[in-house]
Amino acid sequence: MAFRARGWRPPPPPLLLLLLWVTGQAAPVAGLGLDTELQIERRFVPDECPRTVRSGDFVRYHYVGTFPDGQKFDSSYDRDSTFNVFVGKGQLIAGMDQALVGMCVNERRFVKIPPKLAYGSEGVSGVIPPDSVLHFDVLLMDIWNSEDQVQIHTYFTPPSCSRTIQVSDFVRYHYNGTFLDGTLFDSSHNRMKTYDTYVGIGWLIPGMDKGLLGMCVGEKRIITIPPFLAYGEDGDGKDIPGQASLVFDVALLDLHNPKDGISIENKVVPENCERRSQSGDFLRYHYNGTLLDGTFFDSSYSRNRTFDTYIGQGYVIAGMDEGLLGVCIGEKRRIVVPPHLGYGEEGRGNIPGSAVLVFDIHVIDFHNPSDSISITSHYKPPDCSVLSKKGDYLKYHYNASLLDGTLLDSTWNLGKTYNIVLGSGQVVLGMDMGLREMCVGEKRTVIIPPHLGYGEAGVDGEVPGSAVLVFDIELLELVAGLPEGYMFIWNGEVSPNLFEEIDKDGDGEVLLEEFSEYIHAQVASGKGKLAPGFDAEMIVKNMFTNQDRNGDGKVTAEEFKLKDQEAKHDEL
């Protein structure tokens, strides 16, 4: 029902309808026996009767009028319209004026009115014979008084009420609209859509404008409105007749003002908050999304995946862009977003138009694309002079976790170290950077942003996409690597007859077996050293292939060269 405001006018002078008192009627007729007095039989009285008819009230009622023999002379039902009149102001025959007093809405009375209290000896030409006793079967539909105001009965109040409806607020509510007798004329529930409107600026009938003020979200109240604060004498031209009191059973779902900004309620703030989010940061967070009345509409938890986004750059609704600024990792907060900073009048999906949104968020991590790694050293041994560098072979233990403390992996749990050659691409770039300039026995924490870790994709089933990683590391062993570009070096002077020493059979050709045997012998004796952390056989095979210039599977003296003799190869 579109509650358009209507002006109201004072009731015009009453029309002289069928039941109106005829002025100048004759004196009562004697000899009528028991029919000389007004008789009232209360055939149905409702259980609840908050109000009864008093002189001066305006009533709407249905009736059937008959003579004592049962012959009908009039009926409001035949006209499909109630009889509407003031009581006690001479607008009715005296018997009806008296009979209506004390009635409840929905009460049914059978009334016998003697001629002296009806139309007397004159009757009504062609309708009521003179000296007629009249029987009326009356059903009262409505009562109001010109002094009435809007009546409010709150039957449910939510436990907390941080805000109530004020003039110019925009509200979303459900209602059932009935007449005073309980007849339903409209319901937003039947349409499965809330009624959305501004309050106090003339978009509603005056009584509804007044009846909604002061409500809390979640509150339920019954608002009873007299017709002169509703649709007045004319009704709405469709479902609401003229002079009808209206009863609205209202449940308030939503409330905001166009001037509202977002509101933030901090639920949990970590004690240590070294950094707060800023515009341009990339956040990973969980959330539950509800409407203001608690209706659920979305949750990242149900998808078992965080919502990942940049903030302050328009990737999310304006209210969330603002509400996610200044958060700490691990913080939980509630962000309330008015519709003009959310999904507006149109809504989206299962979010209705003009809905206030409530997000309960938990920040898992955030970073900025300009971030580098962060290193915090917790322990260094007294002798920390030998530091790791590119090419060194490292053995270390680690615990890997997310910023919120979720454990991803642990070499301690596996009972074996993780072994790599630093700078060889065997770990993510951030880890490679974090292991440099570390000494054996040192313990440090390395925080790696995703662009130096596993990126947007993450590792399926192990590392979430765009996750910041935290590694707690202890370096256990360091084997110094070779100079950059070398896979094998001599620890002393190189024999001037190196080719002849390798070519044991003296046939002028060195096969892979001869080459491999010789190199391993030099390493075993300490005269040579292979790059640590790599497959020794693969290094030796690559060295041989580099020397075998023509690829015939053997190396001649002409092909054989040392590293410093041909810099572009990494063989000897």
Side-chain angles (χ1 to χ4, degrees), residues 343-556:
Y343 292 102
E345 295 181 4
E346 300 300 321
R348 179 177 178 181
N350 59 348
I351 298 174
S354 299
V356 177
L357 308 179
V358 180
F359 292 94
D360 288 304
I361 68 160
H362 180 199
V363 181
I364 303 302
D365 74 30
F366 65 84
H367 72 280
N368 192 282
S370 63
D371 287 348
S372 185
I373 65 168
S374 167
I375 298 175
T376 303
S377 183
H378 303 291
Y379 172 76
K380 288 185 178 182
D383 182 7
C384 189
S385 56
V386 179
L387 302 179
S388 57
K389 63 184 185 305
K390 183 178 180 180
D392 288 350
Y393 181 62
L394 307 182
K395 294 184 178 181
Y396 60 94
H397 271 307
Y398 70 83
N399 283 327
S401 62
L402 302 178
L403 270 182
D404 68 344
T406 301
L407 184 66
L408 299 175
D409 191 20
S410 173
T411 57
W412 276 289
N413 292 345
L414 297 175
K416 60 180 182 180
T417 59
Y418 198 77
N419 309 329
I420 67 159
V421 176
L422 202 55
S424 64
Q426 295 176 354
V427 290
V428 295
L429 180 58
M431 190 63 161
D432 200 296
M433 297 165 64
L435 287 168
R436 299 197 183 203
E437 297 186 358
M438 193 173 182
C439 61
V440 173
E442 184 178 345
K443 299 178 182 179
R444 61 172 53 171
T445 296
V446 180
I447 300 176
I448 303 174
H451 50 277
L452 298 175
Y454 292 100
E456 294 182 7
V459 178
D460 189 31
E462 298 182 39
V463 180
S466 300
V468 178
L469 305 179
V470 180
F471 286 91
D472 291 309
I473 301 169
E474 181 180 3
L475 184 59
L476 301 179
E477 186 176 336
L478 184 158
V479 178
L482 304 186
E484 186 171 356
Y486 286 83
M487 298 300 288
F488 174 85
I489 60 172
W490 297 97
N491 287 329
E493 294 295 326
V494 181
S495 170
N497 302 315
L498 182 57
F499 182 81
E500 289 75 10
E501 291 181 10
I502 299 175
D503 182 22
K504 286 188 176 182
D505 58 10
D507 63 355
E509 298 176 340
V510 174
L511 302 179
L512 176 60
E513 292 77 9
E514 291 177 292
F515 188 84
S516 177
E517 181 181 349
Y518 181 82
I519 294 298
H520 284 301
Q522 303 309 303
V523 171
S525 66
K527 296 180 180 179
K529 181 179 180 180
L530 291 169
F534 296 99
D535 185 333
E537 291 301 328
M538 186 60 68
I539 294 176
V540 173
K541 185 177 180 180
N542 288 339
M543 293 169 62
F544 179 82
T545 300
N546 288 337
Q547 294 294 330
D548 182 13
R549 315 288 174 172
N550 58 12
D552 61 357
K554 52 192 175 183
V555 178
T556 62

Side-chain angles (χ1 to χ4, degrees), residues 96-112:
M96 189 59 84
D97 245 349
Q98 296 176 34
L100 291 172
V101 172
M103 282 193 78
C104 308
V105 171
N106 285 325
E107 182 177 344
R108 183 182 177 192
R109 288 186 176 183
F110 185 73
V111 182
K112 295 181 181 180

